[in-house]
């Protein structure tokens, strides 16, 4: 492939959401970082695109840029917090309809108390606009990404293939980072993807973001007294492919180089190891506190794991 860079090119990564503002959970707080203490606004917005279909969007912005000038993103998010009306605060009739056109797919990753990595898709955005009166309102949640294909495999449920296919992809992000990401292709797209999306290829993929949760209550008969309620939830969360490009030609300078992907995955493993070590540190300190002895400080050398891709 013709990409001759030492850092991966950031992939196209766009999320479009249009719906009713269901709830705001925003707050201002102070962060202490490399550039000193800085005030910021952070939190989440819930946007409803259909009945039982809600998408959570993460927002964050410092009040001032590094050079001390005002940050327009912060100002815009303050307007959302102070002026936008949500169903939770103002009722459905008064709630604003909102539109996001430049959101991004990311990952929320952390280690749980059991030491296992938790990784969930996360949508973030800097700009949330109100749909004005008279404007066309078209509720939806869609994505458009460039991705490096890691694998394609049939979806299996109850030991039977469903006809759909699961696409394991890698999305190069800002600063050379990579996001391992799972997508699902419907039956009508499965054959093309299986035949053409080979591991190691670069493609552009379009689709719908599905986040459906339906509560079902069934009343069970009892011999006496009130009927017993049995509550179940039907939940579907997936990134469903609705279309895509042909794989980029090897000569295309946008096609990702396998070795650069491997290198980025190795750096990701190191990052995750450091994240886990940071999570485990309080436990280690707690154990040390139980002994009245001094321990020698040692320097651990991090070994880079070799990343083997299936091609």
């Amino acid at each position: 492939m013709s990409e001759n860079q030492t850092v991966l090119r950031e992939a196209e990564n766009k999320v479009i959401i249009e719906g009713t503002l269901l709830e705001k959970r925003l707050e201002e707080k102070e962060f202490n970082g490399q550039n000193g203490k800085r005030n910021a606004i952070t939190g989440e917005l819930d946007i409803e695109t259909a009945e039982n279909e809600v998408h959570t969007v993460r927002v964050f912005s410092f009040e001032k840029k590094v050079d001390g000038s005002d940050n327009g993103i912060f100002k815009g998010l303050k307007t959302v917090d102070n002026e936008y009306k949500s169903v939770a605060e103002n009722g459905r009739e008064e709630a604003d309809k909102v539109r996001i056109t430049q959101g991004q797919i990311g990952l929320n990753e952390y280690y749980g108390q059991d030491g296992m990595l938790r990784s969930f898709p996360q949508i973030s955005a800097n700009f949330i606009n109100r749909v004005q009166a008279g404007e066309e309102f078209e509720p939806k949640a869609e994505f458009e990404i460039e991705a490096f294909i890691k694998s394609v495999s049939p979806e299996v449920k109850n030991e039977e293939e469903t006809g759909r296919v699961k696409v394991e992809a890698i999305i190069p992000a800002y600063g050379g980072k990579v996001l391992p990401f799972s997508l699902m292709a419907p039956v009508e797209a499965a054959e093309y993807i299986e035949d053409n999306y080979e591991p190691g290829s670069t493609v552009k993929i379009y689709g719908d973001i599905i986040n459906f949760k339906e509560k079902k209550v069934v009343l069970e008969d009892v011999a006496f007294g009130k009927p017993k309620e049995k509550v179940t939830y039907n939940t579907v969360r997936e990134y469903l492919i609705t279309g895509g490009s042909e794989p980029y030609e090897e000569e295309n300078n946008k096609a990702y180089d396998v070795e650069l992907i491997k290198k980025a995955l190795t750096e990701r493993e190191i990052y995750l190891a450091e994240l886990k070590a940071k999570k485990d540190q309080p436990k280690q300190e707690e154990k040390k506190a139980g002994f009245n002895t001094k321990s020698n400080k040692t320097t651990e050398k991090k070994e880079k794991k070799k990343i083997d891709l299936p091609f």
Side-chain angles (χ1 to χ4, degrees), residues 273-292:
E274 291 174 345
L275 188 65
K276 189 175 189 304
K278 188 176 181 180
K279 172 70 176 178
D280 293 340
Q281 188 174 2
K283 296 179 182 178
Q284 295 170 357
E285 293 297 328
E286 186 176 332
K287 288 181 181 179
K288 289 179 182 179
F291 297 90
N292 189 23

Side-chain angles (χ1 to χ4, degrees), residues 187-222:
V187 175
E188 56 269 25
E191 183 177 357
Y192 180 88
I193 288 176
E194 285 183 307
D195 290 344
N196 295 278
Y197 282 17
E198 295 183 355
S201 59
T202 302
V203 297
K204 182 178 286 189
I205 299 172
Y206 311 85
D208 294 328
I209 304 172
I210 311 297
N211 193 15
F212 178 87
K213 186 174 184 180
E214 182 181 26
K215 180 180 179 181
K216 292 185 178 181
V217 179
V218 177
L219 297 179
E220 294 184 344
D221 292 332
V222 294

Side-chain angles (χ1 to χ4, degrees), residues 53-310:
E53 188 97 16
V54 178
H55 303 274
T56 298
V57 178
R58 183 75 184 169
V59 299
F60 179 90
S61 177
F62 285 113
E63 182 176 9
K64 302 287 184 180
K65 297 179 182 179
V66 177
D67 63 6
S69 61
D70 290 339
N71 192 333
I73 297 173
F74 178 91
K75 184 179 178 181
L77 293 177
K78 283 294 292 180
T79 299
V80 172
D81 193 22
N82 294 332
E83 299 181 14
Y84 284 27
K85 297 178 180 179
S86 68
V87 173
E89 293 177 332
N90 306 95
R92 187 165 295 275
E93 292 299 319
E94 295 293 322
D96 283 315
K97 296 175 174 60
V98 296
R99 178 183 293 130
I100 293 171
T101 58
Q102 294 294 330
Q104 278 198 328
I105 292 172
L107 291 177
N108 177 21
E109 295 185 305
Y110 60 92
Y111 280 92
Q113 295 297 328
D114 57 0
M116 299 298 292
L117 177 66
R118 305 284 192 271
S119 183
F120 304 100
Q122 180 174 272
I123 299 169
S124 62
N126 290 332
F127 303 101
I128 297 92
N129 299 309
R130 276 184 284 206
V131 178
Q132 302 299 322
E135 282 189 301
E136 185 177 356
F137 178 59
E138 200 176 335
K140 58 189 171 186
E142 300 173 346
F143 68 91
E144 177 182 330
I145 60 170
E146 285 180 306
F148 178 90
I149 302 299
K150 181 180 178 183
S151 66
V152 175
S153 59
E155 180 190 43
V156 178
K157 287 186 177 180
N158 301 320
E159 299 183 355
E160 291 187 4
E161 294 185 7
T162 65
R164 305 199 310 172
V165 294
K166 188 175 182 179
V167 178
E168 295 295 347
I170 296 169
I171 306 173
Y174 177 77
K177 295 181 180 180
V178 287
L179 310 175
F181 207 79
S182 298
L183 305 108
M184 190 64 65
V187 175
E188 56 269 25
E191 183 177 357
Y192 180 88
I193 288 176
E194 285 183 307
D195 290 344
N196 295 278
Y197 282 17
E198 295 183 355
S201 59
T202 302
V203 297
K204 182 178 286 189
I205 299 172
Y206 311 85
D208 294 328
I209 304 172
I210 311 297
N211 193 15
F212 178 87
K213 186 174 184 180
E214 182 181 26
K215 180 180 179 181
K216 292 185 178 181
V217 179
V218 177
L219 297 179
E220 294 184 344
D221 292 332
V222 294
F224 64 92
K226 294 171 58 178
K228 181 176 176 57
E229 288 188 352
K230 183 178 181 181
V231 179
T232 60
Y233 292 91
N234 176 27
T235 303
V236 180
R237 293 189 178 95
E238 61 187 18
Y239 282 69
L240 186 66
I241 298 172
T242 59
S245 70
E246 294 181 353
Y248 293 4
E249 296 290 340
E250 289 189 4
E251 295 75 18
N252 189 332
N253 61 9
K254 285 192 170 184
Y256 288 109
D257 181 80
V258 175
E259 294 305 318
L260 287 180
I261 291 289
K262 287 182 178 180
K263 179 182 176 183
L265 286 171
T266 298
E267 294 299 323
R268 172 179 163 79
E269 289 298 319
I270 294 172
Y271 160 76
L272 290 176
E274 291 174 345
L275 188 65
K276 189 175 189 304
K278 188 176 181 180
K279 172 70 176 178
D280 293 340
Q281 188 174 2
K283 296 179 182 178
Q284 295 170 357
E285 293 297 328
E286 186 176 332
K287 288 181 181 179
K288 289 179 182 179
F291 297 90
N292 189 23
T293 58
K294 294 183 180 180
S295 59
N296 294 326
K297 294 183 179 179
T298 60
T299 302
E300 296 182 357
K301 293 183 179 179
K302 299 184 180 70
E303 292 187 2
K304 291 189 176 182
K305 292 174 62 179
K306 183 180 179 181
I307 302 298
D308 292 320
L309 292 175

